[in-house]
């Protein structure tokens, strides 16, 4: 009598789910040194995620030359949040809380949003993980410190520029000012080619009407 063989059906639920890992990187300046720093972050986290067999690579989101004080001006950050809302990411790595956001309210808002979506954030510098319930109070402190640091840097830069203006020194933005170029002595000089364009614009403009 032939022995009956029981057929076993494997479902998707029986397959262990890989943690979908991503990373967020940001530098606030587009200078070459900062570009190198961003490239290093992208390379580091790409290797970190893809070298773990229990993780599935979900992408690297990187904003270059953008401040962390506002969320809406960071396209890659907002794209990452959208992917989380679409349940494409389970774990996010970032270098520090200040890289994630320099605005305390935004930082806490997104940390809580991602926690509600079961997305964990790992802050490498601070050694904090949002899956830990006790970490939120520390994240609040660090967020406040990051914002205060950003505001202090901004104030120092502003004061420095005002001091230079008083001394008669200023940065001439040639890219945004048509008609001039850097001279041999460092002073602005007329750019003949651009001057022709300025002349055409001036003489082609209609006369300004005066009222009264």
């Amino acid at each position: 009598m032939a022995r009956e063989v029981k057929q076993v059906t494997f479902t998707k639920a029986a397959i262990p789910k890989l943690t979908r890992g991503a990373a967020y990187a940001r530098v606030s300046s587009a200078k070459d040194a900062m570009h190198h720093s961003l490239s290093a972050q992208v390379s580091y986290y790409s290797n970190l995620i893809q070298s773990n067999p229990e993780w599935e690579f979900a992408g690297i989101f990187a904003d270059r030359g953008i401040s962390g004080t506002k969320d809406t001006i960071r396209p890659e950050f907002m794209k990452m949040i959208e992917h989380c809302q679409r349940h494409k990411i389970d774990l996010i790595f970032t270098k520090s809380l200040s890289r994630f956001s320099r605005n305390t309210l935004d930082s806490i808002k997104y940390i809580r949003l991602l926690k509600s979506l079961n997305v964990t954030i790992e802050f490498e510098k601070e050694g904090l993980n949002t899956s830990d319930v006790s970490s939120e109070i520390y994240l609040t402190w660090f967020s406040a410190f990051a914002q205060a640091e950003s505001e202090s840097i901004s104030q120092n830069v502003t004061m420095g520029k005002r001091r230079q203006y008083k001394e008669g020194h200023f940065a001439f933005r040639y890219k945004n000012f048509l008609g001039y170029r850097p001279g041999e002595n460092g002073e602005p000089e007329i750019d003949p080619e651009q001057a022709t364009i300025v002349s055409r614009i001036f003489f082609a403009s209609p006369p300004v009407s005066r009222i009264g």
Side-chain angles (χ1 to χ4, degrees):
M1 182 176 179
R3 184 179 178 182
E4 182 180 358
V5 178
K6 185 177 180 181
Q7 186 176 3
V8 178
T9 302
F10 291 94
T11 63
K12 290 184 178 180
I15 302 175
K17 178 185 175 183
L18 297 177
T19 298
R20 293 163 297 185
Y24 177 71
R26 179 186 64 82
V27 291
S28 56
S29 173
K31 293 181 180 179
D32 291 341
M34 291 293 99
H35 176 76
H36 177 73
S37 174
L38 186 66
S39 298
Q41 291 181 56
V42 171
S43 177
Y44 170 75
Y45 287 116
S46 295
N47 293 333
L48 176 68
I49 297 170
Q50 295 182 78
S51 63
N52 193 320
E54 296 182 356
W55 294 341
E56 177 183 341
F57 185 66
I60 304 294
F61 302 87
D63 284 311
R64 180 184 292 106
I66 299 177
S67 170
T69 56
K70 292 183 180 179
D71 55 350
T72 54
I73 64 173
R74 293 187 286 160
E76 286 294 297
F77 181 84
M78 298 308 297
K79 181 180 178 181
M80 180 183 69
I81 297 298
E82 180 185 354
H83 279 223
C84 291
Q85 292 174 320
R86 294 167 63 183
H87 305 288
K88 292 185 175 182
I89 299 174
D90 303 309
L91 175 63
I92 296 173
F93 291 96
T94 189
K95 184 177 180 180
S96 66
L97 192 56
S98 63
R99 296 298 91 190
F100 185 78
S101 177
R102 282 190 177 274
N103 183 293
T104 305
L105 294 179
D106 280 348
S107 181
I108 298 302
K109 178 180 72 174
Y110 285 110
I111 288 172
R112 289 177 175 174
L113 170 64
L114 295 178
K115 285 185 71 173
S116 71
L117 297 170
N118 295 319
V119 178
T120 300
I121 312 172
E122 181 80 33
F123 298 99
E124 185 176 32
K125 179 180 178 181
E126 292 82 6
L128 295 174
N129 186 302
T130 55
S131 63
D132 183 2
V133 178
S134 63
S135 68
E136 182 163 331
I137 183 63
Y138 295 104
L139 289 169
T140 302
W141 289 345
F142 283 119
S143 295
F145 294 152
Q147 180 173 339
E149 181 185 7
S150 178
E151 292 172 351
S152 176
I153 292 173
S154 178
Q155 290 174 358
N156 290 340
V157 171
T158 301
M159 290 176 62
K161 288 184 177 180
R162 288 178 177 173
R163 190 182 304 112
Q164 289 178 350
Y165 294 158
K166 288 182 179 180
E167 296 174 355
H169 304 293
F170 63 94
F172 200 96
R173 296 182 177 273
Y174 293 98
K175 292 183 179 179
N176 303 327
F177 203 92
L178 187 65
Y180 289 88
R181 66 187 181 188
E184 294 182 358
N185 59 354
E187 297 293 330
E189 69 176 19
I190 295 176
D191 185 319
E193 185 177 350
Q194 293 184 4
T196 303
I197 300 174
V198 174
S199 180
R200 288 178 181 175
I201 295 173
F202 178 79
F203 288 107
S205 301
V208 179
S209 61
R210 296 182 178 179
I211 300 176

